[in-house]
Amino acid sequence: MAVPSSSSSQRVLVSYAAPPSFLASPPWTKVHAALLAQLPLRNIHWKSASRSSVKTIQELDVTLVPIDSLRDTHTSQVPVTLLERPLLNVFILHCEDNDQDTYRTAFKKQIKEWHAVVSARKHQEWIVVQIVRPETARATTGNFFQIKGSVLDKLRTDFNSDKRDRCVQVNWVAGNENPLAWAEFVNRMKEGLMYAFDAAIALRLEEVQRSENQQLMPGWNFCTFFILKESLATSFEGMNLFEEALIPYDELEASFYRVSKDKNMSWFGSLIHPGVEDDSHSLLSIAKKPYRDLILANRISVFDFRIYLLSRQCQLLAKMGRLNDITTKVGFFLGAFGRRLREVESTLPPLFIEAWIYSSALSAVEQCNTWSTTFKIDASKSTAANAGKGELLDVARSQLDIIGIEAGHLPSTPPFTTSPSRKRLLHPGTEVRFSNEILSTAMSNQQAFYELYIAITNRAIDLYAKSGRRKFALKLHGSLATLELHRGNLTSALTTYSSLPAHYAPHMWTSLESFMLSRALDTHKQLDKAQDVEWIHIVLSYLKTYVEHHNAEMLMHEADKIDYVSNLVNSLRVSAERLEGDLAHPDHPAVTVRVSGSARLAETRDGSYVDVSIINHLPCVLPADEIHIVLTGRDSDKFRYSSPISQGCPPGKSDLSLFCPASSSGTFVLESSEIRAAHLLFQSNYRKGSSKGHSSKPPDLVQVPQDLLALDVRLSQSNRIELGKSPALMVVLSTGRNHIDQLIIRFSSSVTFRCQQAILLQDEEVESFEATEEEITIKDIDDDTNLTFLVPHSDASAFSAMKVNMEVEYTTVDEPTIQRASQFSRVLVTTLPISVNVEDFFRGTRLISKFTVSTTSHQHVRIADASLDLPAGGPDGVGIRSCTHRRPVVTVTPAQPANFLFALDSLHGPVRESLILRIKYRMLREEVESVIEDQVRAVLEESPSPQHRLILVGKLVDALESDAAWVDMYNITGELIVPDIDKEEGEISELLRKARKLMADYRHPESPEGEWREIKIPVDVPFMNIVAAACIRIISTPFAKEAAPDEKLSLYAGQPISANLSIQTSFHWGSSQNDTNRKYVLRFNIEEMVKEWLVSGPKRGDFIATDGATHVVPITLIALYHGEFSLPKVTITALPMAGVITMGSMATPSIETYQKHGAEKVLVLPRGGRSTFVVGMGSG
């Protein structure tokens, strides 16, 4: 922080001297002005001897004084500062550098005399400055052959007695304002000042240390020691080293505490000599009394000494810009020394301590404002300073509390006093006079006191608000509200009391919040206002503070807290009954709800119970009527558990069982709870987000077991699927234990449901089945009934699976007054469980189609039948028959598809209508579950218990799911080998044993039984313009010219074989009836089989084909090897038709070729011959 020149009481002195002729000449005036222009000095680096860090003095004020003005007087016995004498002496001469004669004859003697004087002074440095014109300096520097030395060299030779160079040359002429001209001089000046200052400080530190070491010796005086050590502080202050200046004062303060602790106060007067204006003087002013004279005379009181020491410390802190430290120090001093003065309060004027603290706090605030302007303190530090000033004003206001109570202007109750039992300081009739006229007027004039009290409080509130200390400001608002209440301004007081608690709550000021709420209730009662919603909120807030901090002070003024709270709660109930609508209050701590982690089933009806504990933290009964909690499931389904409360909630813990009529199972999260008292609702939300930086509380979980006898809804694809038509959803409604009186079901998903088109799959004994656009209503459904119906919906081919949400509302015959609502969420796979691929083979007028059925998932599919049918009223002359023998049920696995072959004969050409492929199937799981259901029912014929049936079915299905070893055997024989179930005992174990035996004896029926699904797939009959049949027939060999039709010729390798290639064409399957009259250009090509056959003759050629015609081409074949070979294959392609354009090019008819000889092979014999072998028979 830059300190202006006026901030320091003592400046650094620098003396100057010069030849008398130069001082009297006009150039001196200009030189003097140039010297002053270099001041103050800036950026001086100083290193303390006790610290390693280097400090920078941003700016140092220096005063130039003539050396003649200083008189050599004896050293004062009262050390004030080391800056009383110059730290640096400067001799200035104006002499050209090459004018050695003038220097020798005129200046050398004068400089010697000056040097002798300044050298004799301790701890002072000196510098000789030679001023030359720049052009002369350049001429001197350029003369290389100059024999004589320059004047500067002479000066250095004559006066530099040590290694330090104290002679400086300045190239300057009048009018030159360049600071670089004086740069070297300024640097030498800084070095000289710091060198001299360090030497002086080192000596003074030795003196201080010597005196401090003599404390225990007779004659040692603390006041003298104080003045000696203070000289260090004033010296550092003059050098703008404020932190170093503060250290001696802090050490002196610590020394004073030690002296005071030892009770060795002989160097001081009494604790206090109260003067006329001591109760109103400015605390931080050192000009109000001759403090140093009193210290030197050993007559200063402890009161004055402490104020002087505090003032000097605060002045240095202000110069450092630390106003917040000043306010903290003043506040601590006023509190600590005020308590010290209480020890001698009887010797002081009435209320002197209160008046002194009040005036001192206010004067400290004003002094801080003055210093802030004088020293231009950074605005960024104002926040903390404002907080400190607000605290001082709050201290002043607290003194007004005491003065107001003593004067009778304020009551002796909180918040004006924190101790209502405190005795009054003054006896009746005591005259009180203050030197502060404003305070005296306020003492005698009630209205003036109130105005002063409000003004001081508002100033403190404003400063607290500026510093961000909002809760301190709110506290003072409460004091103003209490003052308004005391003055009779009830409406204004009520408004303030009602608004303040909301501001106190975030700061956890529970005690103060409770006091304000209690005041608000009392004021509300005094105004005789109606107990409306505003009053209810005040009561609830008060009860909140009562529960959270019931042992706090200032909570209430009544003696019996329990009666007070009970009356409030009873009045709260009455007011809640008068409300027109519900009033919700979230998270009130008066009542806490704890929920058990597991629910239990109702057993005899749908629904479950959850046990809860209600903890009433109030000392009286909470008149509640009902409680309910809400649990949230995975799909955000909400379930409400509720129970009435007959006698209210007594203090402490009470247990209840809450019932939810909706059936659900799984893990649920506790979302909220609500306790109703008339129209007042105490709500708690258990799923609030946690604030940043704090770990969130784990959610409260509730486990609800599965109820096997409850209403349930299952979904699957329709059991009758017809591609190309609107899809449908199959819904299976299981009533379980419930005899349904009326049931309403609604669907929602990513597709649109057409509920009005819903139909029952079979006749069920229901009173009515009404389907509207939005919902389906069913009446009178017996218990233990599975009701199945189809609900059409829009196209779902874009989804592989879709989520369907169902909302079911129902009433039962046994409980017609309970409207149950259950949420079901199911995922339905929309893709078909099987896929079908078709492959067509044209053979003249017959079409053979091969259908390959595969599973689209990992599950096995059982197929009972597959047929290819004509549509109703189909075309004449078309016949379809299966090419495979009828077989039992086929199992399709992911690794093993099933094939079905059909032959289609058409007498009248192509079939233009689509055929229908019908596949009767079901999933292996569905079939097994059906078998299990039948066997379990057989076991339970003697004891038809629905609960046992569901349990047995579930356990058997789970056992089969755990081990798939039974699958292969079941597919072959039908027996179901169920793995052992060891965990069950009693009746269930016996029933399981019987069911397992029946299932092991089960076999597949000869014909499919049970419920099967059916899918209808439209099949388009393909068109083919040309069907060509190629045949190569051998007609002769060199040894057999003509062969009979049933005679096989002998073929030999290497011999030519005559054969005919015949190509028969048919246009029966063309795209139109006129195709039989067409002619097409075809091209045949005999396949090259270079390893087996050589083909001679027209291997490739074009010909014109007509319907039913045969084209014959003679060829010759030569077998290259002997063996069994297939005859060469023939490829036939159609050439583009001239004059027929399709998509910009000539159309090419479609054609299919099959080889009549494709399955035939011929035997080629080796050629005949004779070979002679000589075999040795041995020597014998």
Side-chain angles (χ1 to χ4, degrees):
M1 181 187 68
V3 182
S5 59
S6 60
S7 64
S8 180
S9 59
Q10 179 68 49
R11 293 191 176 191
V12 176
L13 296 181
V14 174
S15 72
Y16 65 87
S21 59
F22 181 52
L23 291 175
S25 64
W28 164 248
T29 304
K30 297 178 181 181
V31 171
H32 187 264
L35 286 172
L36 294 177
Q38 311 308 313
L39 305 178
L41 299 177
R42 293 177 175 84
N43 297 327
I44 304 175
H45 301 295
W46 177 79
K47 183 178 182 303
S48 171
S50 59
R51 299 184 185 180
S52 59
S53 60
V54 176
K55 291 197 173 183
T56 300
I57 303 174
Q58 301 293 338
E59 193 173 284
L60 180 62
D61 292 317
V62 176
T63 301
L64 293 177
V65 295
I67 193 171
D68 298 337
S69 63
L70 302 174
R71 296 291 181 265
D72 288 333
T73 58
H74 296 289
T75 303
S76 173
Q77 296 299 320
V78 184
V80 178
T81 175
L82 298 176
L83 306 183
E84 294 177 319
R85 296 293 178 180
L87 294 178
L88 182 66
N89 302 279
V90 180
F91 191 93
I92 305 170
L93 74 153
H94 191 289
C95 179
E96 300 304 332
D97 208 20
N98 53 5
D99 194 359
Q100 293 91 345
D101 296 336
T102 305
Y103 163 74
R104 186 178 58 258
T105 58
F107 300 138
K108 183 176 181 179
K109 182 180 179 181
Q110 298 178 20
I111 297 174
K112 278 190 175 183
E113 293 175 354
W114 168 84
H115 180 262
V117 173
V118 299
S119 297
R121 297 176 179 175
K122 293 183 179 180
H123 310 305
Q124 293 187 18
E125 283 294 312
W126 56 270
I127 298 176
V128 177
V129 181
Q130 176 197 5
I131 299 177
V132 299
R133 293 195 303 271
E135 56 272 15
T136 306
R138 286 194 296 269
T140 304
T141 304
N143 191 355
F144 180 78
F145 298 101
Q146 182 178 359
I147 299 176
K148 295 182 179 181
S150 63
V151 173
L152 180 61
D153 294 335
K154 295 292 185 182
L155 288 171
R156 289 171 176 169
T157 302
D158 295 338
F159 300 103
N160 282 341
S161 59
D162 53 18
K163 295 182 179 180
R164 295 184 59 199
D165 186 6
R166 293 180 172 85
C167 300
V168 182
Q169 185 180 85
V170 177
N171 299 324
W172 180 84
V173 69
N176 182 8
E177 298 179 359
N178 187 357
L180 295 178
W182 297 89
E184 185 179 1
F185 165 72
V186 171
N187 290 333
R188 296 292 176 83
M189 190 175 184
K190 294 177 183 178
E191 293 175 2
L193 288 174
M194 291 298 100
Y195 189 85
F197 178 73
D198 287 344
I201 284 294
L203 180 61
R204 183 56 53 90
L205 284 172
E206 292 178 2
E207 295 177 3
V208 170
Q209 187 64 40
R210 190 182 307 113
S211 176
E212 192 170 7
N213 294 336
Q214 296 174 355
Q215 289 187 36
L216 301 179
M217 296 179 65
W220 187 83
N221 189 296
F222 177 81
C223 293
T224 305
F225 172 73
F226 178 88
I227 295 298
L228 177 63
K229 194 163 186 175
E230 187 187 25
S231 65
L232 283 175
T234 55
S235 301
F236 282 121
E237 182 183 8
M239 294 294 291
N240 287 352
L241 294 170
F242 303 122
E243 292 186 11
E244 281 66 23
L246 186 61
I247 293 174
Y249 283 119
D250 293 340
E251 294 175 349
L252 286 170
E253 184 178 18
S255 298
F256 173 79
Y257 285 141
R258 287 194 299 270
V259 170
S260 176
K261 183 178 180 180
D262 296 339
K263 300 186 182 301
N264 188 5
M265 306 295 289
S266 58
W267 307 289
F268 301 95
S270 60
L271 178 63
I272 182 174
H273 298 295
V276 178
E277 296 183 352
D278 275 354
D279 61 348
S280 61
H281 273 312
S282 176
L283 179 67
L284 302 181
S285 172
I286 60 174
K288 58 182 178 286
K289 287 186 179 181
Y291 289 108
R292 285 179 58 84
D293 295 340
L294 293 174
I295 293 174
L296 287 172
N298 293 340
R299 290 187 296 105
I300 190 169
S301 64
V302 175
F303 174 77
D304 290 332
F305 177 80
R306 292 290 287 113
I307 288 178
Y308 174 73
L309 182 58
L310 174 69
S311 301
R312 291 294 295 131
Q313 289 174 315
C314 290
Q315 281 183 347
L316 293 172
L317 289 172
K319 292 179 180 181
M320 288 187 284
R322 292 163 53 181
L323 294 183
N324 58 318
D325 291 340
I326 296 176
T327 56
T328 302
K329 205 169 188 64
V330 170
F332 177 79
F333 171 75
L334 293 178
F337 205 80
R339 290 188 294 272
R340 181 77 180 277
L341 291 178
R342 293 291 178 194
E343 300 173 2
V344 294
E345 188 174 9
S346 59
T347 63
L348 300 176
L351 300 180
F352 172 86
I353 301 175
E354 288 75 13
W356 171 71
I357 295 177
Y358 169 83
S359 300
S360 297
L362 291 183
S363 66
V365 172
E366 297 302 328
Q367 186 63 59
C368 286
N369 293 335
T370 302
W371 281 334
S372 178
T373 303
T374 303
F375 300 137
K376 300 178 182 179
I377 296 176
D378 190 358
S380 61
K381 301 179 180 179
S382 61
T383 300
N386 286 334
K389 289 187 286 186
E391 292 175 356
L392 290 178
L393 289 174
D394 201 359
V395 170
R397 182 201 59 80
S398 64
Q399 304 310 307
L400 287 179
D401 287 340
I402 300 174
I403 294 173
I405 292 173
E406 296 297 336
H409 303 330
L410 296 176
S412 182
T413 58
F416 304 115
T417 178
T418 56
S419 178
S421 60
R422 181 177 183 270
K423 296 181 180 180
R424 297 191 62 174
L425 301 176
L426 301 180
H427 297 288
T430 303
E431 181 181 2
V432 179
R433 296 288 300 173
F434 302 123
S435 60
N436 188 328
E437 294 297 331
I438 297 177
L439 203 55
S440 294
T441 304
M443 184 73 182
S444 59
N445 189 315
Q446 187 182 62
Q447 185 62 30
F449 176 84
Y450 291 150
E451 291 177 357
L452 178 62
Y453 190 93
I454 293 173
I456 295 297
T457 305
N458 284 332
R459 285 183 63 189
I461 290 173
D462 181 61
L463 288 171
Y464 278 143
K466 288 180 179 179
S467 62
R469 295 193 177 183
R470 191 163 169 264
K471 59 182 180 180
F472 292 93
L474 294 172
K475 176 184 176 182
L476 297 184
H477 277 294
S479 298
L480 292 180
T482 308
L483 180 63
E484 295 294 341
L485 181 64
H486 173 68
R487 298 176 66 185
N489 299 331
L490 300 182
T491 303
S492 176
L494 177 61
T495 302
T496 306
Y497 280 136
S498 302
S499 61
L500 284 178
H503 299 288
Y504 289 146
H507 306 293
M508 306 300 292
W509 284 18
T510 309
S511 179
L512 188 57
E513 178 186 1
S514 177
F515 176 74
M516 293 301 169
L517 290 168
S518 177
R519 286 293 189 180
L521 292 173
D522 295 342
T523 308
H524 195 284
K525 184 176 181 180
Q526 293 180 20
L527 287 172
D528 198 19
K529 296 185 66 176
Q531 294 179 347
D532 51 5
V533 174
E534 179 184 358
W535 181 84
I536 291 176
H537 280 300
I538 297 175
V539 173
L540 290 174
S541 299
Y542 177 78
L543 294 178
K544 177 177 181 291
T545 60
Y546 175 85
V547 170
E548 292 178 342
H549 205 163
H550 63 277
N551 291 324
E553 296 182 1
M554 300 192 304
L555 188 62
M556 62 179 69
H557 48 274
E558 278 75 5
D560 193 343
K561 295 182 180 181
I562 296 179
D563 289 344
Y564 183 75
V565 173
S566 299
N567 293 332
L568 282 179
V569 172
N570 293 332
S571 300
L572 182 66
R573 169 72 189 200
V574 174
S575 300
E577 292 176 349
R578 291 198 296 262
L579 294 176
E580 297 180 358
D582 290 341
L583 177 62
H585 193 88
D587 300 323
H588 199 284
V591 59
T592 305
V593 178
R594 295 177 182 173
V595 181
S596 172
S598 60
R600 48 191 172 84
L601 297 178
E603 301 293 347
T604 59
R605 56 176 178 169
D606 284 4
S608 57
Y609 289 96
V610 171
D611 296 327
V612 301
S613 298
I614 304 176
I615 298 92
N616 179 11
H617 300 281
L618 297 174
C620 59
V621 175
L622 180 66
D625 304 321
E626 182 188 11
I627 178 176
H628 79 256
I629 64 173
V630 175
L631 304 182
T632 303
R634 178 180 301 174
D635 298 309
S636 299
D637 300 332
K638 298 183 183 298
F639 298 92
R640 187 177 186 269
Y641 289 78
S642 61
S643 173
I645 303 176
S646 57
Q647 301 297 327
C649 300
K653 179 182 177 182
S654 54
D655 298 326
L656 290 173
S657 293
L658 278 58
F659 177 69
C660 175
S663 177
S664 59
S665 63
T667 303
F668 297 85
V669 177
L670 177 62
E671 181 171 287
S672 63
S673 65
E674 180 180 285
I675 298 178
R676 173 181 288 274
H679 290 290
L680 180 60
L681 309 178
F682 294 93
Q683 297 178 340
S684 296
N685 189 347
Y686 300 92
R687 299 189 66 182
K688 294 180 179 178
S690 62
S691 59
K692 291 184 177 179
H694 298 276
S695 59
S696 59
K697 178 185 176 183
D700 296 319
L701 302 180
V702 178
Q703 299 285 343
V704 181
Q706 184 180 8
D707 189 355
L708 299 177
L709 298 180
L711 180 83
D712 190 23
V713 180
R714 302 190 303 275
L715 298 181
S716 65
Q717 294 182 4
S718 173
N719 61 345
R720 298 291 183 268
I721 299 175
E722 187 169 355
L723 298 186
K725 293 188 177 181
S726 177
L729 188 72
M730 187 168 72
V731 182
V732 180
L733 179 66
S734 300
T735 59
R737 66 167 67 89
N738 303 286
H739 184 179
I740 302 297
D741 181 33
Q742 177 175 302
L743 180 143
I744 300 174
I745 184 170
R746 302 180 184 88
F747 301 89
S748 63
S749 183
S750 54
V751 298
T752 303
F753 290 96
R754 304 183 180 97
C755 295
Q756 68 273 19
Q757 301 176 12
I759 56 172
L760 286 170
L761 281 187
Q762 64 270 349
D763 295 334
E764 300 282 352
E765 294 182 1
V766 295
E767 182 177 326
S768 67
F769 183 87
E770 300 176 359
T772 64
E773 185 177 355
E774 299 293 336
E775 60 190 25
I776 299 173
T777 304
I778 310 173
K779 296 182 180 178
D780 192 14
I781 313 174
D782 290 335
D783 57 345
D784 196 19
T785 300
N786 290 336
L787 187 68
T788 306
F789 55 92
L790 296 178
V791 181
H793 59 81
S794 60
D795 181 40
S797 59
F799 311 100
S800 60
M802 64 179 183
K803 185 178 181 181
V804 181
N805 297 317
M806 294 168 288
E807 180 182 352
V808 180
E809 297 177 359
Y810 64 100
T811 56
T812 63
V813 174
D814 296 334
E815 296 176 307
T817 59
I818 298 179
Q819 177 76 28
R820 286 178 165 84
S822 297
Q823 306 286 337
F824 298 94
S825 181
R826 302 287 186 263
V827 176
L828 179 67
V829 177
T830 59
T831 56
L832 294 177
I834 58 175
S835 64
V836 180
N837 295 323
V838 61
E839 188 176 1
D840 295 313
F841 305 94
F842 290 93
R843 296 295 183 266
T845 60
R846 175 172 292 176
L847 173 64
I848 300 175
S849 296
K850 176 186 176 184
F851 293 91
T852 302
V853 180
S854 307
T855 177
T856 59
S857 66
H858 65 282
Q859 296 195 42
H860 295 192
V861 180
R862 301 274 287 170
I863 298 180
D865 187 26
S867 63
L868 184 64
D869 303 328
L870 293 171
D876 297 332
V878 178
I880 303 175
R881 65 183 179 86
S882 176
C883 298
T884 55
H885 294 288
R886 186 169 185 83
R887 48 186 172 173
V889 177
V890 178
T891 302
V892 177
T893 68
Q896 182 179 358
N899 296 319
F900 298 92
L901 205 63
F902 300 96
L904 170 66
D905 294 305
S906 173
L907 299 177
H908 306 297
V911 180
R912 302 185 181 279
E913 297 185 27
S914 296
L915 307 180
I916 299 175
L917 177 65
R918 301 174 187 267
I919 301 177
K920 188 177 180 181
Y921 74 98
R922 63 186 175 191
M923 309 303 294
L924 177 63
R925 181 186 180 94
E926 294 176 340
E927 181 176 306
V928 172
E929 288 180 350
S930 176
V931 172
I932 294 174
E933 184 79 22
D934 293 340
Q935 302 307 316
V936 169
R937 287 184 182 274
V939 172
L940 295 177
E941 284 181 355
E942 299 178 358
S943 57
S945 173
Q947 183 174 5
H948 286 171
R949 177 177 60 82
L950 295 174
I951 292 175
L952 292 176
V953 171
K955 291 188 177 297
L956 291 171
V957 170
D958 292 342
L960 291 176
E961 285 180 343
S962 64
D963 187 358
W966 55 270
V967 175
D968 293 336
M969 185 60 71
Y970 175 79
N971 286 332
I972 299 172
T973 65
E975 67 180 57
L976 275 170
I977 306 301
V978 181
D980 292 338
I981 305 174
D982 300 329
K983 297 181 180 180
E984 299 300 330
E985 297 179 355
E987 183 181 2
I988 296 296
S989 177
E990 180 63 22
L991 293 174
L992 283 174
R993 186 187 63 79
K994 294 180 179 180
R996 291 178 60 203
K997 185 177 184 305
L998 289 179
M999 293 167 63
D1001 296 337
Y1002 177 80
R1003 295 296 181 270
H1004 286 311
E1006 294 183 1
S1007 60
E1009 297 178 354
E1011 296 181 359
W1012 293 83
R1013 297 177 182 272
E1014 184 178 86
I1015 182 172
K1016 296 180 181 180
I1017 303 175
V1019 179
D1020 294 330
V1021 180
F1023 296 103
M1024 188 62 63
N1025 296 117
I1026 306 167
V1027 177
C1031 179
I1032 297 178
R1033 184 167 300 278
I1034 297 174
I1035 58 176
S1036 66
T1037 65
F1039 303 101
K1041 299 298 182 181
E1042 294 290 339
D1046 56 349
E1047 182 184 358
K1048 292 187 178 180
L1049 299 176
S1050 297
L1051 306 180
Y1052 295 94
Q1055 294 180 348
I1057 303 171
S1058 298
N1060 283 338
L1061 168 61
S1062 60
I1063 302 173
Q1064 185 179 0
T1065 55
S1066 172
F1067 303 160
H1068 183 78
W1069 298 99
S1071 58
S1072 65
Q1073 295 288 347
N1074 298 327
D1075 281 1
T1076 55
N1077 300 323
R1078 283 180 173 273
K1079 294 182 180 181
Y1080 298 102
V1081 178
L1082 304 182
R1083 175 173 293 168
F1084 71 89
N1085 184 22
I1086 301 174
E1087 180 185 5
E1088 293 281 355
M1089 299 178 67
V1090 296
K1091 292 185 178 182
E1092 293 89 7
W1093 299 101
L1094 288 180
V1095 180
S1096 176
K1099 293 188 295 183
R1100 176 185 298 177
D1102 298 342
F1103 65 97
I1104 297 176
T1106 59
D1107 184 31
T1110 300
H1111 178 68
V1112 180
V1113 179
I1115 60 174
T1116 300
L1117 302 175
I1118 299 176
L1120 300 178
Y1121 301 98
H1122 63 272
E1124 192 175 24
F1125 306 132
S1126 297
L1127 293 173
K1129 288 183 171 54
V1130 181
T1131 59
I1132 303 171
T1133 58
L1135 299 181
M1137 297 181 294
V1140 181
I1141 305 299
T1142 301
M1143 298 180 67
S1145 61
M1146 287 188 295
T1148 302
S1150 58
I1151 184 172
E1152 181 173 328
T1153 303
Y1154 67 94
Q1155 315 287 324
K1156 282 187 176 182
H1157 60 279
E1160 298 179 4
K1161 288 189 177 182
V1162 296
L1163 179 62
V1164 179
L1165 302 174
R1167 286 181 298 176
R1170 184 175 58 189
S1171 298
T1172 300
F1173 297 91
V1174 178
V1175 179
M1177 303 300 292
S1179 60

